[in-house]
Amino acid sequence: MDAYTPHTAADPVEFYGTQVNSRLLLGTAQYPSPAILAEAIRASAAEIVTVSLRRESGAAKAGQSEPGKALAGQSFWQLIRDLGVKVLPNTAGCKTVKEAVTTAEMARELFDTPWIKLEVIGEDDTLQPDVFGLVEAARILTRDGFQVFPYTTDDLIVADKLLAAGCEVLMPWGAPIGSGRGLNNPYGLRSMRAHFPRVPLVVDAGVGLPSHAAAAMEFGYDAVLLNTAVAKAGDPVKMARAFALAIEAGREGFRADPMEARDMAAPSTPVMGQAHFG
């Protein structure tokens, strides 16, 4: 399948001073094979991919793991480099501030980037963020020069505190990670967009269908980050392209200034001047 080319290149999105044309951010976990992962990234035209960093990754990089594991890790990083995409490391699975900060520090050393997708998980069943730990970790990391992309809820007070902590991007969840439920709280997401009109907002987690991504973009969000919906699809490459098209459609729909919803019908055909028969 040919690589997708965004038609909205004249409408780039900016994160911490870096402009990208694609508004789809793609995760790299759970794909059937490295080859399919690479094809999916190309088909989506994503320019930013997230990579989950574990402590054993650092050991593998230093040659402290089993040779097979070290080779697998190095092969994966080489695949990502060959694709020419920007890496957004994350702190997936971290449950404490200390764990998240330590993982972020390792990621900066390994990938030579100040970017970090910050996750501090507070609940096992929903993987809901611990927003108290999230704000604390964000404050520590931004003070240390990191450019933080916080995985958060759609709570406006938490959003304010994250911005005050130094974050310049907010990433509210659509639904629990990997659930595919879509946008559980449209009101909350719309409210966040209205309250922070100039802050880059990315819907992160829970998106299962291209229509979910299109809806997020129609709300005025700047991008969508997803992983499972593509990686676990029957055909990840086709699904990646479908999401790219949906995000472009949603963005163009938002920019076109859509009509407002009405409670009553409004005829599309004028009735003035029509003959009326008794």
Side-chain angles (χ1 to χ4, degrees):
M1 179 177 292
D2 294 337
Y4 172 71
T5 301
H7 296 163
T8 53
D11 179 39
V13 60
E14 183 173 306
F15 301 119
Y16 289 103
T18 297
Q19 286 191 346
V20 293
N21 293 319
S22 174
R23 292 172 180 267
L24 173 59
L25 284 65
L26 204 59
T28 56
Q30 306 182 74
Y31 286 82
S33 71
I36 291 176
L37 165 62
E39 286 186 57
I41 293 173
R42 292 190 189 100
S44 72
E47 297 174 46
I48 299 173
V49 299
T50 62
V51 175
S52 177
L53 182 71
R54 303 293 184 180
R55 285 190 170 85
E56 57 264 31
S57 299
K61 189 77 172 180
Q64 299 168 4
S65 296
E66 300 172 18
K69 289 184 179 179
L71 178 61
Q74 291 166 6
S75 298
F76 175 77
W77 308 141
Q78 187 60 51
L79 180 151
I80 297 299
R81 284 194 291 267
D82 289 346
L83 288 167
V85 292
K86 189 169 181 62
V87 173
L88 174 59
N90 68 34
T91 63
C94 293
K95 296 184 177 181
T96 67
V97 172
K98 182 178 180 180
E99 187 178 16
V101 169
T102 300
T103 302
E105 290 170 345
M106 291 172 57
R108 180 165 62 180
E109 181 178 347
L110 287 171
F111 297 108
D112 191 28
T113 177
W115 282 14
I116 192 73
K117 179 191 170 188
L118 180 61
E119 297 183 25
V120 182
I121 301 301
E123 206 278 323
D124 288 336
D125 291 331
T126 62
L127 300 180
Q128 181 169 330
D130 170 2
V131 295
F132 304 101
L134 182 68
V135 171
E136 182 181 351
R139 185 176 294 112
I140 293 169
L141 291 172
T142 55
R143 193 165 55 222
D144 194 28
F146 282 89
Q147 296 173 341
V148 178
F149 295 67
Y151 165 61
T152 184
T153 64
D154 49 34
D155 187 287
L156 298 179
I157 298 172
V158 174
D160 259 329
K161 291 185 180 299
L162 286 168
L163 294 174
C167 298
E168 296 180 15
V169 177
L170 297 172
M171 303 180 71
W173 66 347
I177 294 172
S179 68
R181 294 181 57 86
L183 309 182
N184 269 357
N185 186 8
Y187 172 79
L189 292 173
R190 286 181 181 272
S191 295
M192 182 171 282
R193 178 73 285 174
H195 276 75
F196 306 107
R198 285 177 287 277
V199 175
L201 299 181
V202 182
V203 169
D204 176 18
V207 172
L209 296 171
S211 56
H212 300 156
M217 300 306 292
E218 288 169 359
F219 290 174
Y221 273 69
D222 296 284
V224 173
L225 193 162
L226 55 92
N227 186 166
T228 309
V230 169
K232 291 297 187 181
D235 188 329
V237 179
K238 284 185 178 179
M239 188 60 79
R241 183 177 176 86
F243 269 105
L245 291 167
I247 285 172
E248 180 176 323
R251 177 63 181 175
E252 288 296 278
F254 171 75
R255 295 178 71 200
D257 190 16
M259 63 174 284
E260 295 184 4
R262 296 169 54 98
D263 291 329
M264 302 296 289
S268 57
T269 302
V271 296
M272 293 184 62
Q274 290 186 355
H276 292 272
F277 299 95

